[in-house]
Amino acid sequence: MNLVASRRLCAATSAIVLAVWVALFPLTAPVAAAAAPQRAAPDFGAIDAYVQAQMSREHIPGVALGIVHGNQIVHLRGFGVADPAGAAVTPQTDFSISSMTKSFTAVAIMQLVEQGKVALDAPVQRYLPWFRVATPGASATITVRELLNQTSGISHYAGNLVITGDYAETMKQAAQALATLPLDTPPGAAFQYSNVNYVTLGLIVEAASGQPYATYVQQHIFAPLQMTSSATIVNPPPQHDMATGYHWWYGLPAASSYRNPPDDLPAGGIISNAQDMAHYLIAHLNGGSYGSASILTPDSIALLHHAIVFPSVTTDPYAMGWYDVHVDGAPVLWHSGDDPNFQADMALIPQGQWGVVVLRNANSELSSFTSPPLFSIPAGVIAMLLGHQPHATGTPIHQVFLILDVVMLLLAALVIWSSVRLARQWKRPLKRTPISLLLWVIAPLLWEVALPLTLVFALPTVAKAPWSVALIFLPDMSFWLLGISALLFITGLARLARCGWQIWQAAQSRQSAPVASGAA
């Protein structure tokens, strides 16, 4: 969600805000890791110390770490606290894994492909006859494969709408809402990450298997992989096993009760822990097998991991529930999961047959602007597994928040000062010179009326997300932006009223002047 444009709250201070943001990005850009001699074996003690240092640096309450090598779990560790009561995080502490759920949905689809119940290149309407998009002729051409590869043409904005479900909306209702939304691009033409692609895939799982999505995943993925604590948002684990999520409010972590809505289930609704996710990573590293169980054939796993490259797209190539990225020059399959109060990362490193999962119980959408694509902890762990020094990281998120807090405080002070100044000058006659009108009437109105209206109505288009999503993922800044916009707009209306009142008074004076002269 790009909220840079939302900093432009008034013309008089836009240069300051832009300078701050321009300055922030270089400060927070990751520095390339320096290569070090290859090590015979990873130093897990050093990795633990690195994780703890990053937690302290970023003010993260709790983290769970899992590392696998080949077909073995080689390291599991919990750090910090899981809840306000101080319960320790363990490898069995459950976290929301949010969008990492997409990988599980892709596995479910591929299992049904192997059973002959789903064909990757078949149109979605073969399984969901009611499926529609607003673009004429496109509804019958979107395929299952295009949903998996996020190349259906369904917009990122449409995908964000499912995040704001009212906890009563169903997956089918979320997908049916596409009938009113046109595609951004023709099917198959470009990559565009959209949650509703995977919501639709979840519905295909239900239609082809005859089971509810949550039941299917439990029986065909969790059970064979011995993911005994993993569950979904429609069937959550016992509360004492679940970490409390925290959201950074103006840089300070505060416990949050947000939960993903059920209509987002196949795109972001799985709950798991480091131990269970280690089993899942082993299956992906070993052609679909974990111990004596097999959830997919090696060919199907290879297809899930095969990324589609679009030369004109600047984002990392996307496979089926996995991104194809590079860390220290090594190819890595990776996916993150973000909700307002949890953040998760999982990675497969074919070089050396490593797998890493990092779960944390604090988040802010701002971290996606201040951290590398792989959050600093998993990126550093991967670098150390490859025998390199961990990445040098940029400005910690709480320091970035401090900078933004100061900027927001200054902007709020300017807006309040402008309002107070207007109140004090209410009855003072307006100077009618062109320069005075420009400086004290026209220019203030541009940022008091035009900018708030532009911000409120244009930001959803720029950010590709409605305000309802911004209020969930960036509540602190969103409430501040809306509050400042409201104050600016009210001040602008008051300024217009003052101008109108003084013009009316001047007209009344001109009309009464001849009468007074004649009476004299």
Side-chain angles (χ1 to χ4, degrees):
M1 188 188 309
N2 185 1
L3 295 180
V4 175
S6 65
R7 303 279 79 85
R8 299 180 177 177
L9 295 175
C10 59
T13 56
S14 61
I16 299 174
V17 180
L18 181 60
V20 170
W21 276 99
V22 170
L24 280 177
F25 282 103
L27 282 171
T28 58
V31 179
Q38 292 287 335
R39 301 174 183 174
D43 183 344
F44 294 121
I47 289 175
D48 288 348
Y50 168 77
V51 172
Q52 289 174 310
Q54 291 299 311
M55 285 178 62
S56 176
R57 185 175 186 271
E58 298 288 346
H59 295 183
I60 302 170
V63 170
L65 169 69
I67 300 174
V68 304
H69 185 220
N71 61 0
Q72 298 293 321
I73 299 174
V74 294
H75 191 62
L76 289 173
R77 181 75 189 274
F79 307 86
V81 297
D83 55 38
V89 173
T90 73
Q92 293 76 39
T93 301
D94 288 308
F95 294 72
S96 167
I97 68 168
S98 197
S99 285
M100 281 163 42
T101 301
K102 293 178 177 67
S103 172
F104 288 81
T105 301
V107 167
I109 288 289
M110 199 59 66
Q111 288 176 333
L112 295 168
V113 169
E114 289 186 349
Q115 297 169 28
K117 296 180 178 179
V118 172
L120 288 178
D121 295 310
V124 173
Q125 286 186 343
R126 177 182 297 182
Y127 311 101
L128 307 174
W130 48 262
F131 177 79
R132 297 287 186 279
V133 294
T135 301
S139 302
T141 66
I142 297 173
T143 66
V144 176
R145 188 190 299 270
E146 287 165 348
L147 295 178
L148 287 164
N149 290 136
Q150 305 265 24
T151 60
S152 66
I154 297 171
S155 70
H156 181 71
Y157 183 92
N160 277 329
L161 294 178
V162 300
I163 300 172
T164 60
D166 60 4
Y167 304 107
E169 189 178 49
T170 65
M171 292 159 48
K172 184 175 182 179
Q173 288 171 326
Q176 285 176 327
L178 292 172
T180 63
L181 299 171
L183 299 181
D184 265 16
T185 59
F191 167 81
Q192 186 162 184
Y193 188 94
S194 184
N195 278 1
V196 77
N197 281 326
Y198 274 75
V199 170
T200 307
L201 287 167
L203 290 165
I204 293 174
V205 170
E206 293 189 339
S209 69
Q211 292 182 300
Y213 176 88
T215 303
Y216 182 92
V217 171
Q218 177 65 50
Q219 293 182 2
H220 299 276
I221 302 178
F222 294 162
L225 296 183
Q226 299 177 35
M227 299 176 69
T228 56
S229 294
S230 297
T232 66
I233 53 177
V234 299
N235 183 26
Q239 187 62 35
H240 68 274
D241 293 328
M242 183 74 187
T244 297
Y246 291 78
H247 187 86
W248 280 301
W249 279 81
Y250 303 105
L252 299 175
S256 171
S257 59
Y258 171 86
R259 61 186 177 92
N260 288 73
D263 61 332
D264 191 42
L265 173 57
I270 285 179
I271 297 164
S272 191
N273 57 49
Q275 180 171 286
D276 281 6
M277 287 302 301
H279 298 181
Y280 184 69
L281 295 179
I282 287 173
H284 275 275
L285 283 170
N286 291 274
S289 296
Y290 174 76
S292 60
S294 178
I295 58 170
L296 281 176
T297 65
D299 286 345
S300 293
I301 289 289
L303 186 56
L304 287 178
H305 295 174
H306 178 69
I308 305 298
V309 179
F310 289 93
S312 60
V313 176
T314 57
T315 57
D316 293 308
Y318 198 81
M320 297 177 179
W322 296 88
Y323 281 99
D324 186 356
V325 303
H326 284 77
V327 176
D328 288 0
V332 173
L333 288 164
W334 160 81
H335 211 288
S336 68
D338 289 272
D339 72 21
N341 48 9
F342 287 96
Q343 204 276 344
D345 289 278
M346 63 178 179
L348 301 172
I349 307 101
Q351 179 181 329
Q353 285 291 96
W354 294 104
V356 176
V357 58
V358 178
L359 310 173
R360 62 172 179 159
N361 63 343
N363 200 15
S364 168
E365 189 66 17
L366 185 62
S367 65
S368 64
F369 300 123
T370 61
S371 303
L374 283 167
F375 182 70
S376 57
I377 291 178
V381 171
I382 291 169
M384 296 175 81
L385 290 174
L386 293 172
H388 303 163
Q389 292 299 314
H391 286 237
T393 52
T395 306
I397 189 170
H398 68 277
Q399 291 185 16
V400 175
F401 264 114
L402 179 61
I403 296 170
L404 291 177
D405 290 347
V406 170
V407 172
M408 289 189 292
L409 185 62
L410 290 174
L411 289 175
L414 284 172
V415 173
I416 293 170
W417 173 81
S418 179
S419 302
V420 172
R421 188 175 184 276
L422 177 63
R424 288 178 175 177
Q425 295 178 340
W426 184 264
K427 293 185 179 181
R428 187 179 300 175
L430 286 171
K431 295 181 180 180
R432 302 301 180 88
T433 64
I435 294 179
S436 295
L437 290 173
L438 177 64
L439 290 177
W440 304 110
V441 178
I442 298 174
L445 284 174
L446 288 177
W447 60 273
E448 288 173 348
V449 176
L451 274 179
L453 289 175
T454 301
L455 175 67
V456 170
F457 292 104
L459 184 61
T461 301
V462 174
K464 296 184 178 180
W467 272 104
S468 55
V469 172
L471 288 168
I472 291 173
F473 280 85
L474 276 172
D476 43 6
M477 298 201 177
S478 297
F479 282 120
W480 179 84
L481 284 171
L482 291 173
I484 287 294
S485 296
L487 183 56
L488 278 170
F489 190 68
I490 291 170
T491 303
L493 292 181
R495 193 179 301 277
L496 282 172
R498 179 196 178 206
C499 292
W501 179 74
Q502 293 210 7
I503 291 171
W504 179 82
Q505 286 235 327
Q508 291 295 102
S509 298
R510 285 195 299 270
Q511 289 176 4
S512 62
V515 175
S517 177

